[in-house]
Amino acid sequence: MDSPFGLLAELTYRCPLACPYCSNPLNMAGYQDELTTDEWRRVLAEASELGVLQCHLSGGEPLLRRDLGEIVAHAHDVGLYTNLITSALGLSRSKAEELRAAGLDHVQISIQADEPTVSDRIAGTPSFQRKIEAMGVVKELGWPLTMNVVLHRHNIDRVADVLALAEDVGADRLELANTQYYGWAWRNRDALLPSRAQLEAAEVVVRAARERLRDRMDVIYVIPDYYSRFPKPCMGGWASRQLTVTPNGDVLPCPAAQPLPLPRASVRDEPLERIWAESPIMTAFRGTDWMPEPCRSCYRRELDFGGCRCQAFLLTGDAARTDPVCYLSPDHDLVVRAVEAANADSRSDDPPLIPRPHRPGLPAIAPPQGRRGGRGHQG
């Protein structure tokens, strides 16, 4: 593709939850200088001109931006389909009605488990009941509702009950996403990685539910990388279909690329179109010419594109290596050892989970309209 069709707009990394599987970057202090309302308006207009069709409003918690309604309205005005990805803490009826009037098209609400005590423990704060109430508001206002549950060692055994909860709240789509090990999830990998027996049991339940619910609910099951024979395609190919704009204006090919040692590109310095077409972070692994062996001569090189560059970097220190998830990778033993540890008979107690910080010191307001960080770019 010559242009992306999806934009992940990470409006803020502030969040009222402390989920240990969060993929947000570890150095959240580096993202406090958030784009202003006017800067987001310009980014959204440039994204539309670039060919983007879908805009996913995420974070952190996007509801902590008091200008969220204005951002949604502008995205609607420039022709983008908008999806709010939220913990739903802060999605009151009045806020929901404001966003509905602004033109928001879809709501995706995360929940940590089907049972209040388990869900609140994983989230790091009482939140389950507020999420359920918010889902009710979403359905009452006529939005399509996606319920998202990140699966891991501490909740995957409850997948049947999670499916029942999705039915109860009237979800149109349920996303069961096995944890991807970036950010805080990378730090907590040993405590989060499920056993093979847990995965096999969950997959039986999910397959049966997909068949039973096929006319009422889309059930999406994101398989876990570490148990796969081949790696997942890297966002459909590095900088091929999607792009991410972080709270401070950095542009990335995917939301997990912050740690990679590549030159940064910012919407505060350059137009989005130029960044997409020319910036080193977008062109570094685009296509197949960069590939080493065994990827270069592999028949799957245009199916999985060598796997995930961010995962390769975290596991090997080299973003250009074959993703170690692939059984053909020379580094596959790194994944094999992690899986063996998760399935060890001697394993009795799980390592303690490290919660993601809430960042409570940051105010829940949009930055003043006139303030800019670095070199501002008027559009």
Side-chain angles (χ1 to χ4, degrees):
M1 298 182 66
D2 295 328
S3 62
F5 68 75
L7 166 67
L8 179 64
E10 296 184 317
L11 302 183
T12 181
Y13 285 146
R14 292 172 283 141
C15 186
L17 305 186
C19 303
Y21 55 75
C22 182
S23 60
N24 283 168
L26 301 180
N27 63 324
M28 289 191 293
Y31 298 88
Q32 294 185 34
D33 188 15
E34 297 175 0
L35 295 179
T36 66
T37 313
D38 284 344
E39 286 173 319
W40 274 116
R41 285 193 183 104
R42 176 175 54 78
V43 168
L44 295 171
E46 291 181 359
S48 179
E49 292 171 2
L50 184 57
V52 168
L53 302 175
Q54 300 174 353
C55 176
H56 305 279
L57 302 162
S58 181
E61 177 47 69
L63 287 166
L64 290 176
R65 291 279 304 219
R66 290 186 178 174
D67 59 350
L68 179 59
E70 297 175 67
I71 291 172
V72 168
H74 190 72
H76 178 77
D77 288 346
V78 298
L80 299 177
Y81 181 93
T82 50
N83 173 34
L84 176 65
I85 303 173
T86 176
S87 70
L89 272 68
L91 190 60
S92 63
R93 176 172 289 277
S94 60
K95 174 57 70 173
E97 290 173 348
E98 175 196 342
L99 296 175
R100 195 75 169 104
L104 183 68
D105 294 297
H106 184 277
V107 179
Q108 176 174 323
I109 295 178
S110 67
I111 197 164
Q112 285 62 42
D114 64 288
E115 193 274 331
T117 302
V118 178
S119 184
D120 291 349
R121 175 172 55 80
I122 295 170
T125 190
S127 54
F128 178 88
Q129 192 56 43
R130 293 163 70 185
K131 290 170 178 285
I132 298 299
E133 292 169 0
M135 291 183 198
V137 171
V138 167
K139 295 300 294 183
E140 287 174 24
L141 293 182
W143 272 307
L145 170 66
T146 292
M147 191 175 98
N148 172 267
V149 183
V150 177
L151 299 177
H152 46 78
R153 193 177 190 92
H154 299 266
N155 67 359
I156 194 168
D157 297 331
R158 309 184 66 91
V159 70
D161 295 314
V162 167
L163 282 154
L165 176 63
E167 287 188 78
D168 287 345
V169 299
D172 301 282
R173 184 173 181 270
L174 171 63
E175 183 175 298
L176 299 166
N178 275 279
T179 300
Q180 306 292 305
Y181 296 102
Y182 312 112
W184 294 95
W186 171 250
R187 294 190 67 178
N188 283 302
R189 186 189 67 177
D190 292 345
L192 293 171
L193 190 62
S195 69
R196 190 178 300 278
Q198 285 182 300
L199 286 167
E200 289 174 351
E203 287 173 3
V204 170
V205 172
V206 172
R207 281 198 298 270
R210 275 179 164 168
E211 179 63 24
R212 180 173 59 84
L213 299 171
R214 60 182 177 179
D215 296 327
R216 289 184 286 147
M217 182 193 306
D218 290 330
V219 179
I220 310 301
Y221 185 71
V222 180
I223 63 173
D225 287 0
Y226 279 44
Y227 285 90
S228 299
R229 183 174 173 85
F230 298 107
K232 65 178 181 293
C234 184
M235 303 294 289
W238 181 272
S240 172
R241 302 176 181 179
Q242 311 276 343
L243 78 163
T244 296
V245 178
T246 68
N248 69 344
D250 287 347
V251 184
L252 303 170
C254 78
Q258 289 97 338
L260 270 59
L262 292 169
R264 286 293 178 258
S266 173
V267 295
R268 284 173 162 157
D269 300 328
E270 300 178 82
L272 200 58
E273 182 178 17
R274 185 183 304 162
I275 293 172
W276 175 259
E278 303 173 10
S279 67
I281 197 164
M282 290 294 171
T283 59
F285 303 112
R286 185 178 273 159
T288 59
D289 290 345
W290 61 272
M291 289 183 175
E293 293 293 350
C295 298
R296 181 177 291 273
S297 56
C298 181
Y299 76 98
R300 292 182 58 88
R301 65 183 177 275
E302 294 184 0
L303 297 175
D304 56 37
F305 305 98
C308 177
R309 299 300 87 225
C310 305
Q311 190 156 258
F313 177 73
L314 287 172
L315 285 165
T316 72
D318 182 356
R321 299 280 288 182
T322 300
D323 187 338
V325 162
C326 183
Y327 84 103
L328 298 171
S329 166
D331 305 302
H332 184 58
D333 65 301
L334 297 171
V335 172
V336 170
R337 289 201 298 269
V339 169
E340 287 175 347
N343 289 275
D345 291 337
S346 60
R347 180 167 177 161
S348 56
D349 296 321
D350 291 323
L353 291 168
I354 304 169
R356 174 199 189 272
H358 295 274
R359 296 299 297 169
L362 294 177
I365 58 173
Q369 293 298 307
R371 184 170 64 82
R372 291 183 178 275
R375 295 187 299 276
H377 178 87
Q378 296 288 350

CSV table of all heavy atoms in Angstrom, one decimal, residues 220-247:
chain,number,residue,atom,x,y,z
A,220,ILE,N,-12.9,-12.4,18.5
A,220,ILE,CA,-11.6,-12.4,17.9
A,220,ILE,C,-10.6,-12.9,19.0
A,220,ILE,O,-10.6,-12.5,20.1
A,220,ILE,CB,-11.2,-10.9,17.6
A,220,ILE,CG1,-12.3,-10.2,16.8
A,220,ILE,CG2,-9.8,-10.9,16.9
A,220,ILE,CD1,-12.6,-10.9,15.5
A,221,TYR,N,-9.8,-13.9,18.6
A,221,TYR,CA,-8.9,-14.5,19.5
A,221,TYR,C,-7.5,-14.3,18.9
A,221,TYR,O,-7.1,-14.8,17.9
A,221,TYR,CB,-9.1,-16.0,19.6
A,221,TYR,CG,-8.2,-16.7,20.6
A,221,TYR,CD1,-8.4,-16.5,22.0
A,221,TYR,CD2,-7.2,-17.6,20.2
A,221,TYR,CE1,-7.6,-17.1,22.9
A,221,TYR,CE2,-6.4,-18.2,21.2
A,221,TYR,CZ,-6.6,-18.0,22.5
A,221,TYR,OH,-5.8,-18.6,23.4
A,222,VAL,N,-6.7,-13.4,19.6
A,222,VAL,CA,-5.3,-13.1,19.2
A,222,VAL,C,-4.4,-14.1,19.9
A,222,VAL,O,-4.2,-14.2,21.1
A,222,VAL,CB,-4.9,-11.7,19.6
A,222,VAL,CG1,-3.5,-11.4,19.2
A,222,VAL,CG2,-5.9,-10.7,19.0
A,223,ILE,N,-3.8,-15.0,19.1
A,223,ILE,CA,-3.0,-16.1,19.6
A,223,ILE,C,-1.7,-15.5,20.2
A,223,ILE,O,-1.2,-14.5,19.8
A,223,ILE,CB,-2.7,-17.1,18.5
A,223,ILE,CG1,-1.8,-16.5,17.4
A,223,ILE,CG2,-3.9,-17.7,17.9
A,223,ILE,CD1,-1.3,-17.5,16.4
A,224,PRO,N,-1.1,-16.3,21.2
A,224,PRO,CA,0.1,-15.8,21.8
A,224,PRO,C,1.3,-16.1,20.9
A,224,PRO,O,1.5,-17.2,20.5
A,224,PRO,CB,0.1,-16.6,23.1
A,224,PRO,CG,-0.6,-17.9,22.8
A,224,PRO,CD,-1.7,-17.5,21.8
A,225,ASP,N,2.2,-15.1,20.7
A,225,ASP,CA,3.4,-15.3,19.9
A,225,ASP,C,4.2,-16.5,20.3
A,225,ASP,O,4.7,-17.3,19.5
A,225,ASP,CB,4.2,-14.0,19.9
A,225,ASP,CG,3.6,-12.9,19.2
A,225,ASP,OD1,2.5,-13.1,18.6
A,225,ASP,OD2,4.2,-11.8,19.1
A,226,TYR,N,4.5,-16.6,21.6
A,226,TYR,CA,5.5,-17.5,22.1
A,226,TYR,C,5.2,-18.9,21.8
A,226,TYR,O,6.1,-19.8,21.9
A,226,TYR,CB,5.8,-17.2,23.6
A,226,TYR,CG,6.7,-16.1,23.9
A,226,TYR,CD1,6.5,-14.8,23.2
A,226,TYR,CD2,7.7,-16.1,24.8
A,226,TYR,CE1,7.3,-13.8,23.5
A,226,TYR,CE2,8.5,-15.0,25.1
A,226,TYR,CZ,8.3,-13.8,24.5
A,226,TYR,OH,9.1,-12.8,24.7
A,227,TYR,N,3.9,-19.3,21.6
A,227,TYR,CA,3.5,-20.6,21.3
A,227,TYR,C,3.3,-20.9,19.9
A,227,TYR,O,2.8,-21.9,19.5
A,227,TYR,CB,2.3,-21.0,22.2
A,227,TYR,CG,2.6,-21.2,23.6
A,227,TYR,CD1,2.5,-20.1,24.5
A,227,TYR,CD2,2.9,-22.4,24.1
A,227,TYR,CE1,2.8,-20.3,25.9
A,227,TYR,CE2,3.2,-22.6,25.5
A,227,TYR,CZ,3.2,-21.5,26.3
A,227,TYR,OH,3.4,-21.7,27.7
A,228,SER,N,3.6,-20.0,19.0
A,228,SER,CA,3.4,-20.1,17.6
A,228,SER,C,4.6,-20.6,16.9
A,228,SER,O,5.8,-20.4,17.3
A,228,SER,CB,3.0,-18.7,17.0
A,228,SER,OG,1.8,-18.2,17.6
A,229,ARG,N,4.4,-21.3,15.8
A,229,ARG,CA,5.5,-21.8,14.9
A,229,ARG,C,6.1,-20.7,14.1
A,229,ARG,O,7.3,-20.7,14.0
A,229,ARG,CB,4.9,-22.9,14.0
A,229,ARG,CG,6.0,-23.6,13.2
A,229,ARG,CD,5.3,-24.8,12.4
A,229,ARG,NE,6.2,-25.4,11.4
A,229,ARG,CZ,7.1,-26.4,11.7
A,229,ARG,NH1,7.2,-26.8,12.9
A,229,ARG,NH2,7.8,-26.9,10.7
A,230,PHE,N,5.3,-19.8,13.7
A,230,PHE,CA,5.8,-18.7,12.9
A,230,PHE,C,5.4,-17.4,13.6
A,230,PHE,O,4.4,-17.3,14.3
A,230,PHE,CB,5.1,-18.7,11.5
A,230,PHE,CG,5.5,-19.9,10.7
A,230,PHE,CD1,4.6,-20.9,10.4
A,230,PHE,CD2,6.8,-20.0,10.2
A,230,PHE,CE1,4.9,-22.0,9.6
A,230,PHE,CE2,7.1,-21.1,9.4
A,230,PHE,CZ,6.2,-22.1,9.1
A,231,PRO,N,6.1,-16.3,13.4
A,231,PRO,CA,5.7,-15.0,14.0
A,231,PRO,C,4.5,-14.4,13.4
A,231,PRO,O,4.2,-14.7,12.2
A,231,PRO,CB,7.0,-14.2,13.9
A,231,PRO,CG,7.6,-14.7,12.6
A,231,PRO,CD,7.3,-16.2,12.6
A,232,LYS,N,3.9,-13.4,14.1
A,232,LYS,CA,2.8,-12.7,13.5
A,232,LYS,C,3.4,-11.6,12.5
A,232,LYS,O,4.5,-11.2,12.6
A,232,LYS,CB,2.0,-11.9,14.6
A,232,LYS,CG,2.8,-10.9,15.3
A,232,LYS,CD,1.9,-10.2,16.3
A,232,LYS,CE,2.7,-9.1,17.1
A,232,LYS,NZ,3.7,-9.6,17.9
A,233,PRO,N,2.6,-11.3,11.5
A,233,PRO,CA,3.1,-10.2,10.6
A,233,PRO,C,3.2,-8.9,11.3
A,233,PRO,O,2.4,-8.6,12.2
A,233,PRO,CB,1.9,-10.1,9.5
A,233,PRO,CG,1.2,-11.4,9.7
A,233,PRO,CD,1.3,-11.8,11.1
A,234,CYS,N,4.2,-8.2,11.1
A,234,CYS,CA,4.5,-6.9,11.8
A,234,CYS,C,3.6,-5.8,11.3
A,234,CYS,O,3.9,-5.2,10.3
A,234,CYS,CB,6.0,-6.5,11.6
A,234,CYS,SG,6.4,-5.0,12.5
A,235,MET,N,2.4,-5.7,11.9
A,235,MET,CA,1.4,-4.7,11.5
A,235,MET,C,1.1,-4.8,10.0
A,235,MET,O,0.8,-3.8,9.4
A,235,MET,CB,1.9,-3.3,11.8
A,235,MET,CG,2.3,-3.0,13.3
A,235,MET,SD,0.9,-3.1,14.4
A,235,MET,CE,0.1,-1.6,14.0
A,236,GLY,N,1.0,-6.0,9.5
A,236,GLY,CA,0.8,-6.2,8.1
A,236,GLY,C,2.0,-5.7,7.3
A,236,GLY,O,1.8,-5.5,6.1
A,237,GLY,N,3.1,-5.6,7.9
A,237,GLY,CA,4.3,-5.1,7.2
A,237,GLY,C,4.7,-3.8,7.8
A,237,GLY,O,3.8,-2.9,8.0
A,238,TRP,N,6.0,-3.6,8.1
A,238,TRP,CA,6.5,-2.4,8.8
A,238,TRP,C,6.1,-1.2,8.0
A,238,TRP,O,6.4,-1.1,6.8
A,238,TRP,CB,8.0,-2.5,8.9
A,238,TRP,CG,8.6,-1.3,9.6
A,238,TRP,CD1,9.1,-0.2,9.0
A,238,TRP,CD2,9.0,-1.2,11.0
A,238,TRP,NE1,9.7,0.6,10.0
A,238,TRP,CE2,9.6,0.0,11.2
A,238,TRP,CE3,8.8,-2.0,12.1
A,238,TRP,CZ2,10.1,0.4,12.4
A,238,TRP,CZ3,9.2,-1.6,13.3
A,238,TRP,CH2,9.8,-0.4,13.5
A,239,ALA,N,5.4,-0.2,8.6
A,239,ALA,CA,5.0,1.0,8.0
A,239,ALA,C,4.3,0.8,6.6
A,239,ALA,O,4.7,1.4,5.6
A,239,ALA,CB,6.2,2.0,7.8
A,240,SER,N,3.4,-0.1,6.6
A,240,SER,CA,2.7,-0.5,5.4
A,240,SER,C,1.2,-0.1,5.5
A,240,SER,O,0.7,0.5,4.5
A,240,SER,CB,2.8,-2.0,5.2
A,240,SER,OG,2.0,-2.4,4.1
A,241,ARG,N,0.5,-0.3,6.6
A,241,ARG,CA,-0.9,-0.1,6.7
A,241,ARG,C,-1.3,0.8,7.9
A,241,ARG,O,-2.4,1.4,7.8
A,241,ARG,CB,-1.6,-1.4,6.9
A,241,ARG,CG,-1.4,-2.4,5.7
A,241,ARG,CD,-2.1,-3.7,6.0
A,241,ARG,NE,-1.8,-4.7,4.9
A,241,ARG,CZ,-2.3,-5.9,4.9
A,241,ARG,NH1,-3.1,-6.3,5.9
A,241,ARG,NH2,-2.0,-6.7,3.9
A,242,GLN,N,-0.4,0.9,8.9
A,242,GLN,CA,-0.8,1.7,10.1
A,242,GLN,C,0.3,2.6,10.5
A,242,GLN,O,1.5,2.4,10.1
A,242,GLN,CB,-1.0,0.7,11.2
A,242,GLN,CG,-1.9,-0.5,10.9
A,242,GLN,CD,-3.3,-0.2,11.1
A,242,GLN,OE1,-3.7,0.8,11.7
A,242,GLN,NE2,-4.2,-1.1,10.6
A,243,LEU,N,0.0,3.6,11.3
A,243,LEU,CA,0.9,4.5,11.9
A,243,LEU,C,0.4,4.9,13.3
A,243,LEU,O,-0.8,4.9,13.5
A,243,LEU,CB,1.4,5.6,11.1
A,243,LEU,CG,0.5,6.9,11.0
A,243,LEU,CD1,1.2,8.0,10.4
A,243,LEU,CD2,-0.7,6.6,10.0
A,244,THR,N,1.3,5.3,14.2
A,244,THR,CA,1.0,5.7,15.5
A,244,THR,C,1.5,7.1,15.7
A,244,THR,O,2.7,7.4,15.4
A,244,THR,CB,1.6,4.7,16.6
A,244,THR,OG1,1.0,3.4,16.4
A,244,THR,CG2,1.3,5.2,18.0
A,245,VAL,N,0.8,7.9,16.4
A,245,VAL,CA,1.3,9.2,16.8
A,245,VAL,C,1.2,9.2,18.4
A,245,VAL,O,0.1,9.0,18.9
A,245,VAL,CB,0.5,10.4,16.3
A,245,VAL,CG1,1.0,11.7,16.8
A,245,VAL,CG2,0.6,10.4,14.7
A,246,THR,N,2.3,9.4,19.0
A,246,THR,CA,2.4,9.3,20.5
A,246,THR,C,1.9,10.7,21.1
A,246,THR,O,1.8,11.7,20.4
A,246,THR,CB,3.8,9.0,20.9
A,246,THR,OG1,4.7,10.1,20.7
A,246,THR,CG2,4.3,7.7,20.2
A,247,PRO,N,1.7,10.7,22.4
A,247,PRO,CA,1.2,12.0,23.0
A,247,PRO,C,2.1,13.2,22.8
A,247,PRO,O,1.6,14.3,22.7
A,247,PRO,CB,1.2,11.6,24.5
A,247,PRO,CG,1.0,10.1,24.6
A,247,PRO,CD,1.8,9.6,23.4
